[in-house]
Amino acid sequence: MAEPTRDAILAALSKVIDPETKRDVVSLGMVQGLVVKGGNVGLALEVDPAKAKAKERVRQACEDAVAQVSGVLSATVVLTAESAGSRETPVQRGHAHHGHAHGGAPAATPGAKSSRPDIPGIRSILAVASAKGGVGKSTTAVNLAVALSRLGARVGLLDCDIYGPSIPRLMNLSGRPDSIDGKTMQPMENYGVRCMSIGFLVDEDTAMIWRGPMVMGALEQMLRDVRWGDLDVLVCDLPPGTGDAQLTMAQRVPLSGTVIVSTPQDIALLDVVRGINMFRKVDVPVLGLIENMSYFICPHCQGRSDVFAHGGAHATADKLGVPFLGEIPLHMRIRETSDAGHPIVVAEPEGEHAKAYLAIAGRVMEMLSGGSAARAAPKIVMV
Ligand code: ADP
């Protein structure tokens, strides 16, 4: 019998009504960490610990509903409670934080946690990082964001590069964000993705001298003073490198996880190891590595050449116990579309390149919502 799909499970769960609120458990955001493995389905229902007893009936109803779905061999539903300081509204959170709260992974130190409070309405925050510039990090961030949106997620994109913002150009956005109340800004939107960048606020050709604290101030403002609305994922395009600036950001932004973009050259990969260690230090799970400009596809004959030692990122990922998320070829169309502000995922939505980004986006989404792949993530944090 075919393995049941996540959608089928969620559809069944969306018929289970919580008697207290008279709403279904999916739209209430109670469903956490859905895992479907060979017909065995597991998930957690997030409840107020004080009401755990009363929710037992809902838990049972969920188990029954899942068990009815064609292809399901077993259904396990457990109740889980947010730890102290939980939100008033039942918002489903990114797996990483969930893991920290309940999964036995080391929690961030109290100081670190309070310096990165959650942002209401944003379920998970994904950083796209690279050990050095020019590896295609921004191109990857943009295509991932658009791909996540195509997969049905509500997506935001935050350009964390204060010195060299590239999101306005890559997303073909210009002008200034509106502000209704003079205090908060509306994000700019294109291709279904809500964006914020310092490039919208300061002219591109204005030379800017930023001191460290100003950078953090600008970043905090773009993060917290923007009306993002409800987002499943906010993709943060970090500035290149894994130095102090990135470390500070990782500490200040409540990141659910990070993906690291690398080219296959070995030297870049040495830096990648450093980058991974940096994120581990601040308890941000590394969801995986993406190899960009992995191999070359000739635009004339479509022949493939492994210009660099292809597969280096995969080998490094294996060595470090980090998932390998996929590879993107070096292709003229990716550069042309990216630089023209028309990312390949929208420009050629049915093409091979779009499919590669969509596949990576699918895995990332799964990890952020607590799917099987994410189960490996806390392991990484503990090292
Ligand atoms: P970074 O953010 O790491 O500095 P960018 O995303 O700005 O890198 O990419 C640097 C240049 O490489 C850009 O011109 C971009 O269009 C190009 N580029 C990125 N990824 C690819 C790819 N897979 N194939 C071809 N060109 C690419």
Side-chain angles (χ1 to χ4, degrees):
M1 200 183 287
E3 186 173 311
T5 62
R6 292 175 67 82
D7 282 351
I9 305 289
L10 287 172
L13 287 168
S14 68
K15 302 218 171 70
V16 178
I17 304 296
D18 171 40
E20 185 194 0
T21 52
K22 310 262 185 300
R23 286 176 59 200
D24 75 273
V25 294
V26 176
S27 61
L28 280 170
M30 287 171 73
V31 176
Q32 291 268 352
L34 174 60
V35 180
V36 183
K37 222 172 183 182
N40 302 304
V41 180
L43 62 102
L45 275 190
E46 190 172 299
V47 296
D48 178 343
K51 297 182 185 147
K53 249 199 161 123
K55 300 290 178 191
E56 169 56 25
R57 272 177 49 204
V58 185
R59 189 198 66 77
Q60 188 60 51
C62 288
E63 242 172 36
D64 294 346
V66 172
Q68 299 290 316
V69 176
S70 152
V72 171
L73 302 173
S74 76
T76 311
V77 178
V78 295
L79 295 180
T80 171
E82 285 243 64
S83 55
S86 72
R87 306 163 185 213
E88 280 153 27
T89 48
V91 178
Q92 186 179 340
R93 313 177 64 192
H95 170 79
H97 289 274
H98 183 64
H100 282 207
H102 319 287
T109 59
K113 215 171 158 60
S114 61
S115 67
R116 44 181 178 187
D118 285 344
I119 300 163
I122 302 185
R123 281 186 183 183
S124 50
I125 306 187
L126 172 76
V128 179
S130 67
K132 57 175 204 167
V135 301
K137 172 187 48 58
S138 296
T139 301
T140 307
V142 162
N143 278 294
L144 260 188
V146 178
L148 284 163
S149 157
R150 267 188 61 187
L151 292 177
R154 292 162 302 179
V155 184
L157 178 59
L158 174 62
D159 191 347
C160 295
D161 197 339
I162 305 290
Y163 296 98
S166 48
I167 295 305
R169 185 170 45 88
L170 299 187
M171 289 295 284
N172 196 22
L173 284 166
S174 58
R176 305 245 176 241
D178 285 335
S179 177
I180 296 164
D181 55 8
K183 283 186 223 134
T184 55
M185 291 175 280
Q186 292 296 125
M188 310 278 278
E189 186 164 341
N190 201 5
Y191 312 127
V193 175
R194 299 171 212 162
C195 304
M196 187 46 65
S197 166
I198 197 78
F200 299 141
L201 308 172
V202 184
D203 289 331
E204 216 174 312
D205 42 7
T206 310
M208 278 185 291
I209 304 166
W210 295 89
R211 285 175 292 112
M214 290 165 68
V215 172
M216 279 320 300
L219 186 73
E220 291 258 329
Q221 230 177 323
M222 292 197 297
L223 188 65
R224 298 181 191 279
D225 295 349
V226 169
R227 290 177 173 254
W228 292 108
D230 288 333
L231 292 182
D232 295 303
V233 52
L234 176 65
V235 177
C236 290
D237 183 17
L238 289 190
T242 44
D244 284 349
Q246 290 78 12
L247 188 70
T248 314
M249 272 177 204
Q251 281 171 319
R252 294 284 278 271
V253 178
L255 295 177
S256 313
T258 182
V259 295
I260 299 183
V261 181
S262 170
T263 56
Q265 296 97 310
D266 285 342
I267 192 74
L269 292 172
L270 277 181
D271 294 337
V272 167
V273 176
R274 216 168 297 149
I276 290 175
N277 286 335
M278 183 202 90
F279 285 109
R280 284 178 173 169
K281 230 187 278 171
V282 288
D283 275 349
V284 174
V286 177
L287 301 186
L289 283 188
I290 299 172
E291 187 170 89
N292 188 37
M293 311 195 201
S294 180
Y295 50 90
F296 176 68
I297 305 268
C298 172
H300 308 295
C301 70
Q302 303 305 318
R304 166 179 172 146
S305 341
D306 291 337
V307 187
F308 307 110
H310 164 252
H314 202 161
T316 300
D318 289 347
K319 208 168 75 199
L320 294 167
V322 175
F324 181 69
L325 296 175
E327 51 191 30
I328 306 290
L330 171 64
H331 197 282
M332 190 95 104
R333 287 297 294 151
I334 298 181
R335 191 197 64 72
E336 285 169 352
T337 52
S338 177
D339 294 352
H342 202 211
I344 194 112
V345 171
V346 253
E348 295 170 16
E350 302 307 326
E352 284 305 306
H353 305 317
K355 283 189 190 139
Y357 284 114
L358 283 162
I360 295 173
R363 286 200 66 190
V364 166
M365 206 146 109
E366 169 95 2
M367 288 173 156
L368 290 174
S369 62
S372 55
R375 307 243 139 184
K379 199 170 71 205
I380 298 157
V381 193
M382 281 190 262
V383 177

